[in-house]
Amino acid sequence: MLDSGEARVVDGPADVCVEACPHCERLVLPEVLKASLNVCPLCGYHRPLSALERIAQLADLGGWDEVGSDLQPLDPLGFRDLRPYRDRIRAAQASTGLREAFVGGRCNILQQPAALGVFDFRFLGGSMGSVVGEAIIRLVNRAVADRVTLVMVTSSGGARMQEGILSLMQMAKTVVALEDLRASRLPFISVLADPTTGGVLASVATLADVIIAEPGAFLSFAGPRVIEQTTREKLPEGFGRAEESLSYGQVDMVVPRSELKRRIAALIVLLQGGEETRIRKVGSDEKRPWWRSGTLGRTAARAEELARPARSWLRRGDS
Amino acid sequence: MPALPGVGYGEEIARLQRRLEELRGEESPTVAWKTVQAARAQGRPQTLEYLSHLAPDFIELHGDRLAGDDPAIVGGVGSVAGKAMVFLGHQKGRDLKERQQRNFGMARPEGYRKAQRLALLAERHSLPVVCLIDTPGAFPGVEAERGGQAGAIARTLQVFAGLQSPTVAFVIGEGGSGGALALGLCDRVFMLETAIYSVISPEACAALVWRDASEAPRAAEALHLTAPDLLTLGVIDGIISEPRRGVAGQARVMSRRLKRTLSSSLEELGAVPPEVRRRLRRQRYLNLGVFAG
């Protein structure tokens, strides 16, 4: 089932179900949305994706090896506002079916080996607490151990307030871990989805070799309301959007979802020295044969991959 | 039937205990909130004042060599007991004019880039880096965002993570979120007794979860942002005690205390080869976090 976010679901006559695009408000069939990777075919609005939908869109079929799946959040401060933090965690776990706001694993992206990590904004605003930090560390370690590219898709409100200073320290923790990736000269590609803000933007997300943004994604360290309150000025049109960030030199490219998988795979190949170099590297590595069997550069197969809807095998893994 | 002496007071004792618990619950937010107010108090010594006592030969260096010079972060070289080091610190400003000029200690990307530049300068010349943290946070402004605020903070963290030089940080007042952490990824981190260090300001936290900024005292308590809290959580290495009447006007006394801690820290850190020091720093930050599994 698609995560329709705030979209309204309209039951039409005779078993017809349509959804309204939250952006252009026109009605779209869910099947059509699914086929277009949850991008409105009428206005191009990129709807939010759950972590598993994102993984299904990016990872090749059949080889997802989750990293850090045993991690569970705790409540180190005994934080309590209107609701206890523990309740908030439980509610988020129940509504998303996830343990935390980040899912990472080892996979292939169009036959290119990668460690892929994805934030899920539905889980407490994709906020980074101790578990998310640790899950990122383990994913980085896995990328280093397997000598593969790190790909991270972020959508996050920033550090998780309910874990206080420990959340802030996750920024330091993830940055420190990325040093290992750099020392190993492994590529790091980050994809900024809507929205990526605060401590996540100011740590892992912007330290990538290549930063891709999804069209329309809101990217800002400070929240829009905080900026308006501090400067007492109305925010200019398009402020903080991916397209503006591109024009100010803060991201490398804005890539529509339909192109994303191909672009990531192409970058993985190029950042590892190109197809020639890569074949030599992989060919000489006898310890890790499982991606060697993958055939390279079959564009027809890639196109077919992209057209396929979300995969049911992934959702099973979720429960 | 009237209660006999020594009989049937169990209920009364339980009631009093409950009341005591309630009072404790009401009292503690005041402690956290009082600390927040003390940490932000105008009379508190600031970076430049500490430097005038700590390193009287301090020479300020300006600019990020790219776009500008941010007066919210000051930096330069100076020596403590004949040992040269690079100093970096937020400067909030004293009077209204200076506060405006320094943007209340809220740095822009230029400030963080200046910090990177000076940290790398320290590394080139084998000097330790000492950071004094005192900021409400990074400046939330349109131009700052367009100039790459998030990336500037991230790269500052990266520079400090990889630095060969020994690094020591002191939270001397307000340790506000990412803007504070940018100068805080150090080998040793200390806080003054009434300093605070938090992921978010209590006001912003209250506005977000209680939908009411006036709940800030409660948020301050919930966030665990005082020096003893951070020591308990293993985030800092020690607390610098303050005179009983507070730090206002006590720059000289406090500088002596900072100097003692700084000297002993640098001695410890200097005894370790740079590669080991970097590995220990790495391990320190990798260990932070509380989770199951």
Side-chain angles (χ1 to χ4, degrees), chain B residues 165-216:
Chain B
S165 303
T167 50
V168 181
F170 295 95
V171 186
I172 56 169
E174 197 175 3
S177 190
L181 179 67
L183 300 186
L185 204 162
C186 292
D187 294 313
R188 294 283 185 278
V189 184
F190 299 94
M191 280 174 81
L192 264 56
E193 201 178 320
T194 60
I196 58 165
Y197 199 178
S198 180
V199 65
I200 186 170
S201 77
E203 288 84 355
C205 174
L208 275 171
V209 294
W210 280 276
R211 312 225 167 267
D212 181 1
S214 66
E215 293 282 5

Short mmCIF file of all heavy atoms in Angstrom, two decimals, chain B residues 165-216:
data_model
loop_
_atom_site.label_atom_id
_atom_site.label_comp_id
_atom_site.label_asym_id
_atom_site.label_seq_id
_atom_site.Cartn_x
_atom_site.Cartn_y
_atom_site.Cartn_z
N SER B 165 46.37 18.06 15.82
CA SER B 165 46.65 18.84 17.03
C SER B 165 45.78 18.38 18.19
O SER B 165 44.65 17.94 17.98
CB SER B 165 46.34 20.32 16.78
OG SER B 165 47.06 20.80 15.69
N PRO B 166 46.28 18.51 19.42
CA PRO B 166 45.40 18.29 20.57
C PRO B 166 44.37 19.42 20.64
O PRO B 166 44.67 20.57 20.31
CB PRO B 166 46.34 18.35 21.78
CG PRO B 166 47.62 18.89 21.30
CD PRO B 166 47.66 18.82 19.81
N THR B 167 43.15 19.06 21.05
CA THR B 167 42.07 20.06 21.07
C THR B 167 41.33 20.02 22.40
O THR B 167 41.02 18.94 22.91
CB THR B 167 41.06 19.80 19.93
OG1 THR B 167 40.66 18.43 19.96
CG2 THR B 167 41.67 20.08 18.57
N VAL B 168 41.06 21.20 22.94
CA VAL B 168 40.34 21.30 24.21
C VAL B 168 39.23 22.34 24.06
O VAL B 168 39.48 23.43 23.52
CB VAL B 168 41.27 21.72 25.36
CG1 VAL B 168 40.51 21.80 26.68
CG2 VAL B 168 42.45 20.77 25.49
N ALA B 169 38.02 22.00 24.49
CA ALA B 169 36.91 22.96 24.41
C ALA B 169 36.37 23.26 25.80
O ALA B 169 36.33 22.38 26.66
CB ALA B 169 35.80 22.41 23.52
N PHE B 170 35.97 24.50 25.99
CA PHE B 170 35.29 24.92 27.22
C PHE B 170 33.96 25.56 26.84
O PHE B 170 33.95 26.49 26.03
CB PHE B 170 36.12 25.98 27.97
CG PHE B 170 37.44 25.46 28.49
CD1 PHE B 170 38.60 25.62 27.75
CD2 PHE B 170 37.50 24.82 29.72
CE1 PHE B 170 39.82 25.16 28.22
CE2 PHE B 170 38.72 24.35 30.21
CZ PHE B 170 39.88 24.52 29.46
N VAL B 171 32.87 25.06 27.39
CA VAL B 171 31.60 25.76 27.21
C VAL B 171 31.55 26.81 28.33
O VAL B 171 31.42 26.47 29.49
CB VAL B 171 30.40 24.80 27.31
CG1 VAL B 171 29.11 25.55 26.98
CG2 VAL B 171 30.58 23.62 26.38
N ILE B 172 31.71 28.08 27.94
CA ILE B 172 31.84 29.13 28.95
C ILE B 172 30.50 29.80 29.26
O ILE B 172 30.39 30.55 30.22
CB ILE B 172 32.87 30.20 28.53
CG1 ILE B 172 32.49 30.79 27.18
CG2 ILE B 172 34.27 29.61 28.51
CD1 ILE B 172 33.30 32.03 26.80
N GLY B 173 29.49 29.54 28.43
CA GLY B 173 28.19 30.16 28.66
C GLY B 173 27.11 29.29 28.05
O GLY B 173 26.72 28.27 28.60
N GLU B 174 26.69 29.69 26.85
CA GLU B 174 25.60 28.99 26.20
C GLU B 174 26.14 28.09 25.09
O GLU B 174 26.80 28.57 24.16
CB GLU B 174 24.66 30.05 25.60
CG GLU B 174 23.30 29.53 25.25
CD GLU B 174 22.37 30.65 24.76
OE1 GLU B 174 22.83 31.80 24.65
OE2 GLU B 174 21.20 30.35 24.49
N GLY B 175 25.89 26.81 25.19
CA GLY B 175 26.28 25.87 24.15
C GLY B 175 25.06 25.52 23.32
O GLY B 175 24.36 24.57 23.61
N GLY B 176 24.79 26.35 22.30
CA GLY B 176 23.55 26.21 21.54
C GLY B 176 23.71 25.37 20.29
O GLY B 176 24.22 25.83 19.28
N SER B 177 23.29 24.12 20.39
CA SER B 177 23.08 23.26 19.23
C SER B 177 24.29 23.14 18.29
O SER B 177 25.44 23.20 18.73
CB SER B 177 21.86 23.79 18.48
OG SER B 177 21.45 22.92 17.49
N GLY B 178 24.02 22.98 16.99
CA GLY B 178 25.07 22.72 16.01
C GLY B 178 26.11 23.83 15.94
O GLY B 178 27.29 23.57 15.69
N GLY B 179 25.66 25.06 16.19
CA GLY B 179 26.58 26.19 16.16
C GLY B 179 27.62 26.11 17.26
O GLY B 179 28.74 26.61 17.12
N ALA B 180 27.28 25.45 18.37
CA ALA B 180 28.21 25.24 19.47
C ALA B 180 29.09 24.02 19.18
O ALA B 180 30.30 24.06 19.33
CB ALA B 180 27.46 25.05 20.78
N LEU B 181 28.44 22.96 18.75
CA LEU B 181 29.17 21.72 18.48
C LEU B 181 30.28 21.92 17.44
O LEU B 181 31.31 21.25 17.50
CB LEU B 181 28.19 20.64 17.98
CG LEU B 181 28.82 19.29 17.64
CD1 LEU B 181 29.37 18.62 18.90
CD2 LEU B 181 27.84 18.38 16.94
N ALA B 182 30.06 22.87 16.52
CA ALA B 182 31.06 23.13 15.48
C ALA B 182 32.43 23.42 16.09
O ALA B 182 33.45 23.15 15.47
CB ALA B 182 30.61 24.28 14.60
N LEU B 183 32.46 23.98 17.31
CA LEU B 183 33.75 24.22 17.98
C LEU B 183 33.96 23.20 19.11
O LEU B 183 34.85 23.36 19.93
CB LEU B 183 33.82 25.64 18.54
CG LEU B 183 33.70 26.81 17.56
CD1 LEU B 183 33.94 28.14 18.29
CD2 LEU B 183 34.69 26.67 16.41
N GLY B 184 33.14 22.17 19.14
CA GLY B 184 33.15 21.30 20.31
C GLY B 184 33.63 19.87 20.10
O GLY B 184 33.68 19.10 21.05
N LEU B 185 33.98 19.52 18.86
CA LEU B 185 34.42 18.15 18.62
C LEU B 185 35.91 18.05 18.99
O LEU B 185 36.79 18.06 18.12
CB LEU B 185 34.19 17.77 17.15
CG LEU B 185 34.05 16.28 16.82
CD1 LEU B 185 33.39 16.09 15.46
CD2 LEU B 185 35.35 15.53 16.87
N CYS B 186 36.18 17.99 20.28
CA CYS B 186 37.56 18.11 20.77
C CYS B 186 37.95 16.89 21.61
O CYS B 186 37.12 16.08 21.99
CB CYS B 186 37.69 19.38 21.61
SG CYS B 186 37.55 20.88 20.62
N ASP B 187 39.26 16.79 21.90
CA ASP B 187 39.77 15.68 22.72
C ASP B 187 39.25 15.77 24.15
O ASP B 187 39.00 14.76 24.79
CB ASP B 187 41.30 15.73 22.77
CG ASP B 187 41.91 15.47 21.41
OD1 ASP B 187 41.48 14.50 20.75
OD2 ASP B 187 42.80 16.23 21.00
N ARG B 188 39.15 17.00 24.65
CA ARG B 188 38.63 17.21 25.99
C ARG B 188 37.59 18.31 25.94
O ARG B 188 37.79 19.32 25.24
CB ARG B 188 39.75 17.67 26.94
CG ARG B 188 40.83 16.65 27.21
CD ARG B 188 40.37 15.57 28.21
NE ARG B 188 41.48 14.67 28.52
CZ ARG B 188 41.84 13.64 27.76
NH1 ARG B 188 41.20 13.37 26.64
NH2 ARG B 188 42.85 12.86 28.12
N VAL B 189 36.48 18.10 26.64
CA VAL B 189 35.43 19.12 26.68
C VAL B 189 35.06 19.38 28.14
O VAL B 189 34.78 18.44 28.90
CB VAL B 189 34.17 18.65 25.91
CG1 VAL B 189 33.13 19.76 25.88
CG2 VAL B 189 34.53 18.23 24.49
N PHE B 190 35.09 20.65 28.55
CA PHE B 190 34.73 21.03 29.90
C PHE B 190 33.61 22.06 29.86
O PHE B 190 33.45 22.77 28.87
CB PHE B 190 35.94 21.62 30.63
CG PHE B 190 37.09 20.66 30.75
CD1 PHE B 190 38.11 20.65 29.81
CD2 PHE B 190 37.13 19.74 31.79
CE1 PHE B 190 39.16 19.75 29.90
CE2 PHE B 190 38.18 18.83 31.88
CZ PHE B 190 39.20 18.84 30.94
N MET B 191 32.86 22.10 30.93
CA MET B 191 31.82 23.12 31.05
C MET B 191 32.00 23.90 32.33
O MET B 191 32.37 23.32 33.35
CB MET B 191 30.42 22.48 31.06
CG MET B 191 29.90 22.10 29.69
SD MET B 191 28.34 21.19 29.82
CE MET B 191 27.17 22.54 30.05
N LEU B 192 31.70 25.19 32.27
CA LEU B 192 31.64 25.96 33.50
C LEU B 192 30.40 25.52 34.28
O LEU B 192 29.43 25.03 33.69
CB LEU B 192 31.56 27.46 33.18
CG LEU B 192 32.90 28.20 33.21
CD1 LEU B 192 33.90 27.54 32.27
CD2 LEU B 192 32.72 29.66 32.82
N GLU B 193 30.44 25.71 35.57
CA GLU B 193 29.39 25.21 36.44
C GLU B 193 27.99 25.64 36.01
O GLU B 193 27.04 24.85 36.04
CB GLU B 193 29.66 25.71 37.86
CG GLU B 193 28.99 24.93 38.94
CD GLU B 193 29.37 25.49 40.31
OE1 GLU B 193 30.55 25.85 40.50
OE2 GLU B 193 28.48 25.58 41.16
N THR B 194 27.83 26.90 35.60
CA THR B 194 26.50 27.35 35.20
C THR B 194 26.38 27.54 33.70
O THR B 194 25.59 28.35 33.23
CB THR B 194 26.12 28.67 35.91
OG1 THR B 194 27.08 29.66 35.53
CG2 THR B 194 26.06 28.52 37.40
N ALA B 195 27.17 26.80 32.94
CA ALA B 195 27.00 26.82 31.48
C ALA B 195 25.95 25.79 31.09
O ALA B 195 25.61 24.91 31.89
CB ALA B 195 28.33 26.52 30.81
N ILE B 196 25.43 25.93 29.88
CA ILE B 196 24.49 24.91 29.37
C ILE B 196 24.96 24.45 28.01
O ILE B 196 25.73 25.14 27.32
CB ILE B 196 23.05 25.45 29.26
CG1 ILE B 196 23.00 26.69 28.35
CG2 ILE B 196 22.47 25.75 30.63
CD1 ILE B 196 21.61 27.07 27.90
N TYR B 197 24.53 23.26 27.62
CA TYR B 197 24.90 22.69 26.32
C TYR B 197 23.70 21.86 25.89
O TYR B 197 23.31 20.93 26.59
CB TYR B 197 26.15 21.82 26.50
CG TYR B 197 26.94 21.50 25.25
CD1 TYR B 197 28.12 20.75 25.34
CD2 TYR B 197 26.55 21.93 23.99
CE1 TYR B 197 28.89 20.46 24.23
CE2 TYR B 197 27.31 21.64 22.87
CZ TYR B 197 28.48 20.89 23.00
OH TYR B 197 29.24 20.58 21.89
N SER B 198 23.09 22.24 24.76
CA SER B 198 21.83 21.59 24.42
C SER B 198 21.65 21.43 22.92
O SER B 198 22.18 22.20 22.12
CB SER B 198 20.66 22.42 24.98
OG SER B 198 19.45 21.82 24.65
N VAL B 199 20.86 20.43 22.56
CA VAL B 199 20.56 20.15 21.15
C VAL B 199 19.64 21.22 20.56
O VAL B 199 19.63 21.46 19.37
CB VAL B 199 19.95 18.73 21.01
CG1 VAL B 199 18.59 18.66 21.70
CG2 VAL B 199 19.83 18.31 19.57
N ILE B 200 18.86 21.85 21.43
CA ILE B 200 17.90 22.86 20.97
C ILE B 200 17.65 23.81 22.15
O ILE B 200 17.80 23.42 23.30
CB ILE B 200 16.57 22.17 20.53
CG1 ILE B 200 15.59 23.15 19.91
CG2 ILE B 200 15.91 21.43 21.69
CD1 ILE B 200 14.40 22.47 19.24
N SER B 201 17.30 25.06 21.86
CA SER B 201 17.03 25.98 22.96
C SER B 201 15.74 25.54 23.66
O SER B 201 14.84 25.02 23.02
CB SER B 201 16.89 27.40 22.44
OG SER B 201 15.63 27.58 21.84
N PRO B 202 15.66 25.74 24.98
CA PRO B 202 14.44 25.34 25.69
C PRO B 202 13.19 26.00 25.11
O PRO B 202 12.14 25.37 25.05
CB PRO B 202 14.68 25.82 27.12
CG PRO B 202 16.13 26.08 27.24
CD PRO B 202 16.68 26.32 25.88
N GLU B 203 13.33 27.25 24.64
CA GLU B 203 12.18 27.95 24.07
C GLU B 203 11.69 27.26 22.79
O GLU B 203 10.49 27.02 22.62
CB GLU B 203 12.54 29.41 23.73
CG GLU B 203 12.71 30.30 24.94
CD GLU B 203 14.12 30.21 25.54
OE1 GLU B 203 14.92 29.38 25.06
OE2 GLU B 203 14.41 30.96 26.48
N ALA B 204 12.64 26.93 21.92
CA ALA B 204 12.26 26.27 20.66
C ALA B 204 11.69 24.89 20.93
O ALA B 204 10.72 24.46 20.30
CB ALA B 204 13.47 26.17 19.73
N CYS B 205 12.28 24.19 21.89
CA CYS B 205 11.80 22.86 22.26
C CYS B 205 10.37 22.96 22.78
O CYS B 205 9.49 22.19 22.38
CB CYS B 205 12.71 22.24 23.31
SG CYS B 205 12.13 20.68 23.97
N ALA B 206 10.13 23.94 23.66
CA ALA B 206 8.80 24.12 24.23
C ALA B 206 7.79 24.46 23.14
O ALA B 206 6.67 23.94 23.12
CB ALA B 206 8.83 25.21 25.28
N ALA B 207 8.20 25.33 22.20
CA ALA B 207 7.30 25.71 21.12
C ALA B 207 6.95 24.50 20.25
O ALA B 207 5.83 24.38 19.75
CB ALA B 207 7.94 26.81 20.26
N LEU B 208 7.92 23.59 20.11
CA LEU B 208 7.68 22.43 19.25
C LEU B 208 6.80 21.38 19.92
O LEU B 208 5.84 20.92 19.32
CB LEU B 208 9.01 21.78 18.86
CG LEU B 208 9.70 22.40 17.64
CD1 LEU B 208 11.10 21.83 17.49
CD2 LEU B 208 8.90 22.12 16.38
N VAL B 209 7.14 21.00 21.16
CA VAL B 209 6.40 19.89 21.74
C VAL B 209 5.23 20.31 22.63
O VAL B 209 4.23 19.62 22.67
CB VAL B 209 7.30 18.87 22.48
CG1 VAL B 209 8.21 18.17 21.50
CG2 VAL B 209 8.09 19.54 23.56
N TRP B 210 5.39 21.44 23.33
CA TRP B 210 4.24 21.89 24.14
C TRP B 210 3.40 22.90 23.36
O TRP B 210 2.38 23.35 23.82
CB TRP B 210 4.71 22.54 25.45
CG TRP B 210 5.08 21.54 26.51
CD1 TRP B 210 4.22 20.93 27.37
CD2 TRP B 210 6.38 21.06 26.83
NE1 TRP B 210 4.92 20.10 28.21
CE2 TRP B 210 6.24 20.15 27.91
CE3 TRP B 210 7.66 21.29 26.31
CZ2 TRP B 210 7.33 19.48 28.47
CZ3 TRP B 210 8.74 20.62 26.89
CH2 TRP B 210 8.56 19.72 27.95
N ARG B 211 3.90 23.30 22.20
CA ARG B 211 3.28 24.32 21.37
C ARG B 211 3.08 25.62 22.15
O ARG B 211 2.10 26.33 21.99
CB ARG B 211 1.92 23.84 20.81
CG ARG B 211 1.98 22.48 20.20
CD ARG B 211 1.26 22.38 18.87
NE ARG B 211 1.61 21.13 18.19
CZ ARG B 211 2.59 21.01 17.30
NH1 ARG B 211 3.30 22.05 16.93
NH2 ARG B 211 2.87 19.85 16.75
N ASP B 212 4.06 25.88 23.03
CA ASP B 212 3.96 27.05 23.90
C ASP B 212 5.36 27.38 24.42
O ASP B 212 5.91 26.65 25.25
CB ASP B 212 3.01 26.72 25.07
CG ASP B 212 2.84 27.91 26.00
OD1 ASP B 212 3.43 28.97 25.73
OD2 ASP B 212 2.10 27.76 27.00
N ALA B 213 5.93 28.48 23.93
CA ALA B 213 7.31 28.82 24.28
C ALA B 213 7.46 29.14 25.77
O ALA B 213 8.55 29.06 26.32
CB ALA B 213 7.79 30.01 23.44
N SER B 214 6.33 29.46 26.43
CA SER B 214 6.43 29.79 27.86
C SER B 214 6.65 28.54 28.71
O SER B 214 6.87 28.64 29.91
CB SER B 214 5.18 30.54 28.31
OG SER B 214 4.06 29.69 28.23
N GLU B 215 6.60 27.37 28.10
CA GLU B 215 6.92 26.14 28.83
C GLU B 215 8.42 25.89 28.86
O GLU B 215 8.87 24.80 29.25
CB GLU B 215 6.21 24.94 28.18
CG GLU B 215 4.70 24.96 28.29
CD GLU B 215 4.20 24.54 29.66
OE1 GLU B 215 5.05 24.33 30.56
OE2 GLU B 215 2.98 24.42 29.83
N ALA B 216 9.20 26.90 28.44
CA ALA B 216 10.66 26.73 28.36
C ALA B 216 11.30 26.18 29.64
O ALA B 216 12.19 25.34 29.56
CB ALA B 216 11.31 28.05 27.96
#
